Amino acid sequence: MKLTIWTYEGPPHVGAMRIATAMHGLHYVLHAPQGDTYADLLFTMIERNSARPPVTYTTFQARDLGGDTAEIFQTAAREAYLRFKPEAMIVGSSCTAELIQDDPGGLAQALALPIPVIKLELPSYSKRENWGASETFYQIVRRLADPAARPTDKAGRRPRCNLLGATALGFRHRDDVAEITALLDRLGIDVALCAPLGASPADIAAIGTADFNILLYPEIADTTAKWLERSFGQPCVRAVPIGHGATCDFIAEVAKIAGVDPTAVLEGAPSRMPWYSRSVDSTYLTGKRVFIFGDATHAVAAARIAADELGFAVVGIGSYSREFAREVRAEAARHGVEALITDDYLDVEARIAELQPELVLGTQMERHIAKRLGIACAVISAPVHVQDFPARYSPQMGFEGTNVLFDSWVHPLVMGLEEHLLTMFRDDFEFSDRGGPSHLAGATVAKFPSRAAPIADDQTIVAAAPEPVATTATGPVWAAEAEKELRKIPFFVRGKARRNTEHFASQRGVDVITIGTLYDAKSHFAR
Amino acid sequence: MGPALSLHPEAGCPEPPGLGDILRERGQREVFCGLTGIIWLHRKIQDAFFLVVGSRTCAHLLQSAAGVMIFAEPRFATAILEERDLAGMADAHDELDAIVDRLLLRRPDIKLLFLVGSCPSEVIKLDLGRAAQRLSNKHRPRVRILNYSGSGIETTFTQGEDACLAALVPEMPVAPPEENRALLIVGALPDIVEDQFRRLFDELGIGPVAFLPARSAEALPSLGPRTVYLLAQPFLADTARALDGRGATRLSAPFPLGAEGTTEWLRAAALAWGIPESRFDAVTAPGRERANRAIRRCEGALRNKRIFFFPDSQLEIPIARFLTRELGMIPVEIGTPYLHAEHLAPEIALLPSGTRISEGQDVDRQLERCRAEAPDLVVCGLGLANPLESEGLTTKWAIELVFSPIHGFEQAGDLAELFARPLARRERLRFAS
C-alpha cells in the first residue's frame, strides 16, 4: 500500500485509452465499474477533443458481481461493434475488473466478431499509464502489422519513415509531430506513418513499408521500435530532438540512416536559441540553479539544454519513469548529482525544498510545489493540464521547439536588468523581490494562488510608473549633486530609490543627502 | 455468437402510476463514482481528511476531477493497493495502519479521518469498518476515524456524500430527552448559504438549528427523538434512513432551489413550528422578491427553451422543476442516476404531467434520444459536453451545479444564470459574417 496525494501517472488502462483515442477506427471495450468513465474528461476537457474517446465501459455494479459480469462484458462488446463499426477492437480490464478475473480477451473472442480483437493484459496494481500505453501500442502493432510489408525499391523515391510514440493527451505531441514532419520534409524524407497519433488499423498494417523508424517518445514506443527492428529490420533513430544540440544530433542520425545530406538544413540558422543565449541579456541566466523533474525523455533533454544551452547549473534531476531510470541516472551523473527516481510527489517536494533551486523545470505537480515555495517554474513534461494544450503552435521538438523552450523557461525568471534593480531595492514594500518578477502577475500572490494563475509567457516587463517626487518638510534635504545623480537612475524606479534613500537618511539622522548617502543607501539595501 | 445482434433489445419498463412513466436503463454510465464527493466534503469539513483505500485509478480520478481546481495541498489522499497487498504478501491492515500513522504525523490539524472504500477494496472485501475501529482506538481522542464506501459499484457521484453523512450519524451525540425540539438541516451547503438559512430560521423563530455536516468535526450536532430534519439535497437516502433510525423526523418538502422551492422548504419547517402565516410571509417576502427579480433577468433567455438532462448529481429533478415553473423552460428528458421516489415526491408533483424521467443510463442510447430531440440546452457531464458542443448542441456542465452555491433565495438568480449563460454565449459568438 502506498500513500499518494497526487499521481504522476494514471493507471495502465488510461495509457491504453491514450492509444485508442490517438487512433482512428479502433475501439476499446473496457471492463470497468461505474465511475471509470471519468477518464473521458481527460480527453474532452484537458485536451478539448471534440469527440468522445472511442471507449465503451461495461459499468458493472456490486449486484452483478459473482453473477453475470461476463455477459455484461459480451453485451457491451457486441453493441460497441455494431454501433461504432471499428476496424479493430482492443479489450481489457480496469483495476476492479482485473480482480474479478472475467478474461475479456476470451469473452470477446467467443463473440467471433469479424474484426481483429486485441486482448490487453495491463496489470493495474503494478504498472502505470505510460507502461500501459507502451504495451497497448506494442500489442496493436504486433497483431496488425502485415508481416509481408516491406519497403519498395529505394530508387527514384524519397526515403520514408514511421514517426512513433505520439499519443492523445501527450505533452505537445500534436505540435511536435508537425514540427518534425516539416523538418523531415526539408531533409527530403517522407513520413509514411505517424502512430499511434492519427493512424488507423489499416495504416498500422503497412508499418513495414517504411525504410526506418523515428522514436519520438521512448516511454510510449520503445518496445514497439525494438520489435520492428527485430521483425522488419527497420533501423531506428533514437536521438530525441528536444533542444538545439539534440535536434542537430537527431538530424545527423536521420541523415545517416536515410542517406540524405543534412548540410543545408543545419546551415539555415535554424533556431534563435544559440544567439539569444549568447546575447548579453542572458548573462543573468549564468549558473541559475535549476531542478528538473518529468518523464525520462523530457527530463534528460531538459538537463542537457539547461546546462549546455542556457548555462544553468543543474542541481537536481529526477523522473517518475522507472522504466527509464538508467537513462536519467546517466544524465544525473553528467551533472554530478544524484537522480531522484520516484513517483511520490512528497519525495519530490522534499527534494525541491531542500535544494532551494531558482528555477524548477517540472510537471504541473512541480508547478504547485514551486508556487508554494515561491520558486519560478516552467512545465516541461506530462502529466498534462489544460494549459499544456495552448491554442498557438508550441512544439517542444525541433528548432521551433527550441525557441519555445527558451521563451518558456526564461520568462518565469527575473529579467536581466530587473534583477539588479530588485537587488538594489530589495526591501521596498512596493518593490519586494520576494514577490518575484514584476512581469509575472501571478507570482506576487503565491500564497493565494487562483485557479487560473497561468505561468504567463506573453507579458512584457511591466515596470512601475514614474513616481511623483514627494519630499516632506521634515525629511532630509537633497544636495544638488545627489539630486543630479538620482536622475541617472532609470525613471521607473527613481521614486523608489528616492524614498529608500530618504528613509535610510532619516533613520541615521542625516539631514543632507549627498552622493555618498545615496550610495550608502544602495549598498545598505543591496546587502 | 449470442442472440440476434440488435441495439435495442429492451425498452424501458413502465412504472406504477403516480410517478408517470419512468424509463429505466442499464448500460454504460457516464457518471462519476461516489469518491468524487470528497472534493467538496473535504472543503466543507475543515478538519477532516479523506483517505481513499483503492487503486491508482481512484487517485487519478480525484486528481482529474479536482486537480485543476485545487492548488493547496488537499485534505484527501489515496492509499494505493499494490500487487503485494492483493497477493497476501503484505497484511493490508498493517500497511494501512502505517499509512494512517504517517498521515496523522504530517497533518496534526486533522481531527476526523474517513477511510473511504473503493471498488477494489470492496471487491477484495477489505474490512474498513474494522480498520476504522482499530485505528480509532489507537488515535483517540486526538482523531476520530470513520469509514464509508464511495465505490463506483455501489455509489454514484453525490451518493458518496450520502454515504459519508450516514457514517457521521452514529457519531452524533444523543440529545438529552428534556431538550427542546431542534431543526437539523442535512446536506453539505456552502457556508454562505448556511448562514443565509440560519438568519431566516432565526427571524422565523425556528430553532435551535444545526447543520449536518458541521464545519468542524467537533461541532457535530446532537440528535434524538425531538430532532426534526429537512433535507437540503435530494440524494441523501441512507443518511435519512440513519436519522430515522435514531428517532428523528423528516419534513417532506421540495428542495430549496429557486424562489418557490426555497419558500416551500422553509414553509415545511414553519408549519412544523406553528409559525403564523403572516409572520412567515413577512420574513420570507424580501428574499423571495429578490430571488424573483434576479430570476426574471434570465427569463427572456430561457422561456420556452427545451432542456435535456443527462444523469449526474440527482439534482436534476428539483432543478428541472425550478426551470420549468419559474423560468418557463420545457423539460424534454430528465435523467437522474437514481430516483428516490419518497424524497422526490413533492418535486415530481410539481412537474408537468407526462415529463419523461429516466433513471440509470445507457449513454449511447440516451445520446441518440438527445440528438433526435435537438434540445436548446443539454445538461451533462464533462465527458459529453465538448463532443455535444461540437455537434452544435448547447451544453451546461452539470458539475457546476454541485460546485457552486445554488440553494436558497439569494442564489436563485445565480442558478438561473448558470443555464442562461451557455445560451447567451452562443448568441454572442460570431466568427464569420
Side-chain angles (χ1 to χ4, degrees):
Chain A
M1 222 180 269
K2 179 130 184 63
L3 180 62
T4 306
I5 292 176
W6 300 111
T7 70
Y8 288 94
E9 294 181 77
H13 71 261
V14 167
M17 285 185 70
R18 288 174 55 192
I19 304 297
T21 306
M23 290 180 61
H24 302 302
L26 182 79
H27 200 85
Y28 185 13
V29 179
L30 180 63
H31 205 17
Q34 166 176 266
D36 283 4
T37 49
Y38 82 86
D40 283 359
L41 77 85
L42 304 170
F43 300 91
T44 61
M45 296 303 292
I46 295 179
E47 197 170 13
R48 294 182 217 254
N49 282 357
S50 60
R52 292 166 63 207
V55 182
T56 293
Y57 304 77
T58 56
T59 315
F60 57 82
Q61 296 173 19
R63 62 168 188 250
D64 305 319
L65 296 178
D68 48 4
T69 51
E71 196 191 318
I72 289 173
F73 177 84
Q74 286 191 310
T75 306
R78 189 189 300 128
E79 294 202 358
Y81 171 70
L82 285 172
R83 184 178 295 278
F84 299 105
K85 295 282 189 310
E87 290 173 45
M89 190 181 271
I90 52 178
V91 299
S93 296
S94 79
C95 51
T96 307
E98 187 183 330
L99 297 173
I100 60 176
Q101 301 182 331
D102 270 340
D103 183 23
L107 291 169
Q109 208 158 33
L111 291 176
L113 298 174
I115 52 166
V117 174
I118 300 152
K119 159 185 162 180
L120 301 176
E121 299 270 6
L122 308 176
S124 301
Y125 298 92
S126 54
K127 301 294 187 183
R128 292 184 296 273
E129 178 179 331
N130 278 340
W131 185 90
S134 169
E135 173 69 9
T136 302
F137 185 46
Y138 170 61
Q139 293 299 342
I140 290 171
V141 171
R142 265 201 82 150
R143 174 67 183 276
L144 298 180
D146 175 1
R150 286 293 182 278
T152 57
D153 189 355
K154 286 195 173 72
R157 66 164 175 88
R158 305 206 321 168
R160 301 169 79 240
C161 69
N162 298 316
L163 280 188
L164 302 181
T167 65
L169 216 64
F171 188 76
R172 311 289 169 86
H173 288 192
R174 177 194 69 191
D175 294 347
D176 285 348
V177 165
E179 180 68 15
I180 296 306
T181 303
L183 178 64
L184 292 167
D185 182 56
R186 289 203 296 280
L187 286 165
I189 297 165
D190 289 333
V191 173
L193 166 70
C194 174
L197 192 63
S200 70
D203 296 334
I204 300 277
I207 200 166
T209 62
D211 301 314
F212 65 101
N213 290 313
I214 290 176
L215 178 58
L216 287 185
Y217 305 100
E219 280 85 349
I220 309 296
D222 185 52
T223 309
T224 303
K226 281 181 180 146
W227 182 78
L228 289 169
E229 216 157 2
R230 284 198 306 274
S231 312
F232 289 86
Q234 288 171 324
C236 182
V237 173
R238 293 187 164 271
V240 177
I242 302 178
H244 185 87
T247 300
C248 294
D249 293 351
F250 170 82
I251 290 170
E253 201 178 324
V254 168
K256 198 170 151 207
I257 288 182
V260 298
D261 180 6
T263 322
V265 170
L266 286 173
E267 277 175 357
S271 113
R272 294 188 185 93
M273 160 94 87
W275 167 242
Y276 271 44
S277 203
R278 279 196 304 269
S279 72
V280 290
D281 189 64
S282 294
T283 309
Y284 74 97
L285 300 175
T286 312
K288 285 268 185 211
R289 304 174 71 253
V290 56
F291 177 84
I292 298 166
F293 196 85
D295 68 16
T297 301
H298 287 86
V300 167
R304 174 174 173 186
I305 299 163
D308 298 351
E309 302 181 8
L310 289 165
F312 292 151
V314 175
V315 296
I317 174 173
S319 175
Y320 56 82
S321 309
R322 283 184 190 279
E323 296 88 349
F324 293 84
R326 193 149 37 111
E327 287 81 348
V328 181
R329 290 208 172 93
E331 185 63 28
R334 223 168 67 73
H335 302 278
V337 297
E338 198 190 328
L340 177 65
I341 308 297
T342 183
D343 62 346
D344 189 334
Y345 166 83
L346 299 178
D347 290 348
V348 181
E349 181 185 57
R351 183 66 67 92
I352 294 175
E354 173 201 322
L355 291 171
Q356 287 291 325
E358 289 160 281
L359 176 67
V360 172
L361 300 174
T363 72
Q364 290 291 339
M365 247 95 73
E366 282 65 51
R367 193 160 71 89
H368 290 198
I369 297 171
K371 246 174 196 287
R372 231 188 341 270
L373 299 175
I375 301 170
C377 178
V379 175
I380 59 160
S381 161
V384 289
H385 183 274
V386 68
Q387 288 168 9
D388 298 322
F389 293 89
R392 66 177 184 277
Y393 182 58
S394 188
Q396 302 287 288
M397 290 186 172
F399 292 122
E400 184 55 24
T402 309
N403 294 334
V404 168
L405 293 179
F406 183 90
D407 288 350
S408 48
W409 296 8
V410 165
H411 282 182
L413 294 168
V414 183
M415 306 298 280
L417 178 61
E418 195 177 28
E419 184 172 62
H420 304 298
L421 299 172
L422 284 172
T423 310
M424 186 167 171
F425 305 112
R426 181 168 281 162
D427 288 331
D428 187 294
F429 77 100
E430 282 181 279
F431 208 92
S432 167
D433 65 348
R434 280 199 299 268
S438 63
H439 63 293
L440 296 180
T444 51
V445 290
K447 276 189 182 160
F448 307 99
S450 75
R451 153 178 182 183
I455 296 176
D457 55 4
D458 54 354
Q459 293 175 38
T460 48
I461 295 180
V462 181
E467 289 276 310
V469 175
T471 40
T472 54
T474 54
V477 182
W478 284 77
E481 80 280 3
E483 185 85 47
K484 215 164 147 190
E485 192 74 11
L486 180 69
R487 287 199 203 105
K488 296 173 191 163
I489 294 176
F491 73 90
F492 52 89
V493 285
R494 199 177 302 142
K496 289 182 173 133
R498 176 186 290 278
R499 214 177 313 136
N500 271 358
T501 309
E502 286 170 359
H503 178 69
F504 175 83
S506 331
Q507 273 198 332
R508 280 159 188 73
V510 175
D511 295 329
V512 178
I513 296 170
T514 62
I515 291 183
T517 323
L518 178 61
Y519 285 109
D520 284 346
K522 177 178 188 286
S523 80
H524 171 77
F525 288 113
R527 244 182 332 232
Chain B
M1 201 176 283
L5 293 172
S6 157
L7 276 181
H8 301 278
E10 69 224 282
C13 28
E15 269 304 290
L19 273 178
D21 284 354
I22 289 179
L23 181 61
R24 291 231 158 80
E25 284 191 309
R26 275 214 61 176
Q28 175 172 332
R29 289 192 173 197
E30 197 73 23
V31 189
F32 287 129
C33 65
L35 295 181
T36 326
I38 291 172
I39 294 162
W40 62 88
L41 288 168
H42 89 283
R43 284 284 183 237
K44 180 69 201 176
I45 314 174
Q46 303 226 335
D47 50 2
F49 195 100
F50 294 78
L51 180 65
V52 176
V53 182
S55 66
R56 182 166 298 279
T57 314
C58 307
H60 198 236
L61 153 83
L62 284 174
Q63 172 165 334
S64 306
V68 288
M69 298 170 192
I70 295 169
F71 277 77
E73 180 172 321
R75 283 187 305 277
F76 59 77
T78 308
I80 294 184
L81 292 161
E82 294 172 305
E83 197 117 75
R84 42 195 235 105
D85 300 304
L86 302 174
M89 283 143 59
D91 184 323
H93 284 282
D94 291 345
E95 299 264 310
L96 186 58
D97 289 8
I99 282 181
V100 168
D101 289 350
R102 183 180 171 199
L103 194 67
L104 294 179
L105 202 66
R106 186 180 158 83
R107 298 296 301 260
D109 49 327
I110 296 308
K111 299 281 187 293
L112 174 61
L113 173 68
F114 286 102
L115 304 178
V116 187
S118 65
C119 298
S121 77
E122 296 295 327
V123 169
I124 65 169
K125 299 196 172 7
L126 188 57
D127 188 346
L128 293 182
R130 202 182 93 201
Q133 210 159 43
R134 181 182 64 240
L135 285 160
S136 262
N137 291 340
K138 182 169 174 188
H139 294 281
R140 217 163 24 202
R142 206 200 101 195
V143 189
R144 189 187 336 218
I145 299 173
L146 304 176
N147 79 292
Y148 72 89
S149 172
S151 83
I153 55 177
E154 293 156 310
T155 61
T156 300
F157 197 22
T158 48
Q159 279 181 305
E161 175 175 330
D162 186 25
C164 173
L165 299 192
L168 280 173
V169 172
E171 300 298 308
M172 295 167 75
V174 179
E178 70 279 6
E179 201 166 277
N180 282 335
R181 189 164 53 158
L183 180 64
L184 180 67
I185 306 301
V186 186
L189 294 169
D191 291 352
I192 184 167
V193 177
E194 233 178 71
D195 293 341
Q196 290 164 7
F197 283 146
R198 198 182 282 281
R199 283 196 295 272
L200 280 168
F201 288 122
D202 277 353
E203 285 176 50
L204 285 166
I206 296 172
V209 179
F211 290 80
L212 180 70
R215 294 178 200 184
S216 79
E218 279 156 357
L220 265 184
S222 59
L223 181 64
R226 307 263 299 148
T227 304
V228 173
Y229 70 94
L230 262 177
L231 296 178
Q233 302 282 15
F235 43 74
L236 298 172
D238 289 352
T239 308
R241 199 173 309 121
L243 290 169
D244 294 345
R246 297 251 329 242
T249 309
R250 182 175 67 89
L251 298 176
S252 180
F255 292 91
L257 297 161
E260 182 188 33
T262 305
T263 304
E264 294 313 306
W265 186 77
L266 293 169
R267 191 191 306 279
L271 286 172
W273 256 256
I275 307 296
E277 202 169 322
S278 55
R279 178 156 185 201
F280 179 78
D281 286 340
V283 170
T284 55
R288 187 164 47 248
E289 277 157 27
R290 276 195 301 276
N292 280 323
R293 258 202 314 278
I295 290 167
R296 288 289 78 79
R297 280 202 295 273
C298 296
E299 198 188 344
L302 297 177
R303 179 159 291 281
N304 292 326
K305 293 286 196 309
R306 301 168 67 248
I307 185 164
F308 191 110
F309 288 85
F310 279 80
D312 195 68
S313 62
Q314 294 187 44
L315 282 160
E316 294 82 10
I317 289 173
I319 287 175
R321 179 264 303 157
F322 162 64
L323 293 171
T324 308
R325 293 176 59 89
E326 300 187 45
L327 287 143
M329 293 192 85
I330 303 164
V332 175
E333 174 168 334
I334 308 172
T336 180
Y338 174 72
L339 178 67
H340 193 290
E342 195 190 335
H343 292 178
L344 270 300
E347 292 285 351
I348 289 171
L350 294 173
L351 283 174
S353 64
T355 300
R356 187 201 300 155
I357 295 177
S358 61
E359 185 186 13
Q361 190 175 33
D362 178 322
V363 71
D364 289 306
R365 281 179 213 175
Q366 196 167 26
L367 281 166
E368 278 176 1
R369 290 199 299 276
C370 179
R371 290 179 185 119
E373 294 281 4
D376 297 299
L377 188 60
V378 181
V379 185
C380 62
L382 297 172
L384 297 177
N386 271 334
L388 289 174
E389 287 280 347
S390 81
E391 291 179 25
L393 290 160
T394 304
T395 63
K396 166 83 221 83
W397 311 352
I399 199 160
E400 229 178 329
L401 302 168
V402 178
F403 286 167
S404 44
I406 58 169
H407 293 71
F409 288 134
E410 315 305 340
Q411 282 67 237
D414 302 340
L415 180 57
E417 164 74 20
L418 286 176
F419 294 89
R421 197 180 304 145
L423 293 164
R425 179 160 187 78
R426 192 160 275 260
E427 284 285 301
R428 235 172 235 257
L429 295 181
R430 305 243 188 294
F431 292 106
S433 49

